[in-house]
Amino acid sequence: MKKRHLKAVFAMFLLAGGVLAGCSNTEKTATTEKKEETKTEKTKQVEEEKQEINYGEAFKEAVTELAKAKEGQNVDFDKVMTIYTTKLQPLVQKRDAELQETIDQHITTVLNAGKDGSMDKVVVEQIFDKLMQKVFYTTIKQEFAEIEENWDNKDAVKEEVEEAKEFYKILQSTVEKRDAAYGTTLVDTINGGFSEIESAVEKGDTLAFAFGKQVIDKTLMKTFYLATGALPYGYATKAAAEAKKNAEEAKVEQAEGWAFYQSIYPYMKKYAAAEADYILKQFDLQTDVKTLDPEAINKAFVRGLTKVALNEYEESEENLGQDKSAVTALEGALFIDMIGSDIKTLLGDQAFTTLNDQAQKYLEAAKAKNKEEGEKLLSQIRATLQTVIEKAK
């Protein structure tokens, strides 16, 4: 892929975001009433479409067509664009509006770039695939939010649980690939999370629902981490190794890493901006793939995710004595698990076992609203996590 083409495409990405950000206050004020008038109608329309469209089939059809590029076959970009605009785009735009993101502009840009030949068609397929996976992931999170909003309506909640499961089915093959590569049991963990949610709905147990939701969310996030920055099978490692043999093929894997990373980046950016931005820069297609440093990327992930875990524990401590403390305690434990193999490498198996035990004991203390025991365990957990950060520099 020619460097000038890459720069042009990413310039379009930046321009798309800039145009949205550059609206004047006057323009926003002038259109506010119109937006409010159409908001309810659009929401209703999207919800109706959600019921009618089989997103999994539409996604598979589009990716299958795009994947022809791998075999050197012609890709019918008009067909892909029709599938996208008629079936997938409304969902993407809805998530963009909620999360203040520009995934739709990214997808539209790369499809056009694939059609006019300014971007490698295999790269287009990978970016489309992974960005759509992000949309399905964030849609699962939105379904969980709707469950919380409609908790007293059990029929509606059960329907939303089923919808979340349908969106997860689209992502399940990605999870299965990580399990096969790393010997993990992510699929079983996610299935267990859904079972916990279904049981919680039947019992009306909001805390159990919150636990199940976090298990699913953070296990999917772990999936994306294993796919991008984990050693030795993340795309950072794959792209760096391939760059020594074939820079063009390496660019494809760099693109896969970039697109997968979009599901993690916003979360990491909140609590570990330096690490988050470093990783983003490494995966950026304007970065020479031959300069990718998988070990540095991995260490940035470890530092960043450890900082996220520390933030969860800080929030848990602030809420000790409340249910929210137990939920954020679970999140902290899940982020520790996310980089468990890395912690073992840095500190040794015994240190990780001890840390994991402390995280589980702290979770139980938070559940029991035992402040004294909780604070004692937190000081130990924090000390170990700070050591992880230092070792990962």
Side-chain angles (χ1 to χ4, degrees), residues 217-235:
D217 181 14
K218 300 312 180 287
T219 305
L220 285 171
M221 193 177 289
K222 180 175 180 177
T223 299
F224 298 131
Y225 164 59
L226 294 178
T228 52
L231 300 174
Y233 304 115
Y235 278 111

Side-chain angles (χ1 to χ4, degrees), residues 116-129:
D116 67 25
S118 61
M119 178 175 275
D120 186 306
K121 292 176 174 58
V122 180
V123 172
V124 172
E125 186 259 333
Q126 293 301 335
I127 292 177
F128 176 86
D129 181 353

Side-chain angles (χ1 to χ4, degrees), residues 236-256:
T237 303
K238 292 178 182 179
E242 187 63 36
K244 297 175 182 177
K245 300 176 289 184
N246 186 326
E248 291 297 314
E249 289 296 322
K251 273 292 178 189
V252 175
E253 292 175 330
Q254 185 182 22
E256 291 188 76

Side-chain angles (χ1 to χ4, degrees), residues 316-322 325 362 365-366 370-371 374-375 378:
S316 180
E317 183 178 31
E318 290 171 356
N319 292 282
L320 268 171
Q322 304 174 41
S325 176
Y362 175 72
N370 186 336
K371 291 186 178 183
E375 288 171 354
L378 271 179

Side-chain angles (χ1 to χ4, degrees), residues 5-17 77 81 84 89 102-119 124 127-128 131 258:
H5 289 155
L6 287 172
K7 287 185 176 179
V9 169
F10 273 82
M12 283 188 277
F13 285 177
L14 294 172
L15 178 60
F77 277 97
M81 288 176 177
Y84 178 67
Q89 190 177 44
T102 57
I103 300 301
D104 178 43
Q105 285 90 338
H106 281 40
I107 290 175
T108 301
T109 298
V110 296
L111 289 178
N112 284 320
K115 183 177 179 178
D116 67 25
S118 61
M119 178 175 275
V124 172
I127 292 177
F128 176 86
L131 289 183
W258 177 85

Side-chain angles (χ1 to χ4, degrees), residues 170-191:
I170 305 173
L171 301 177
Q172 187 169 333
S173 62
T174 294
V175 183
E176 290 169 344
K177 287 177 184 177
R178 265 70 258 175
D179 275 347
Y182 291 93
T184 48
T185 56
L186 305 176
V187 170
D188 290 344
T189 301
I190 291 172
N191 288 338

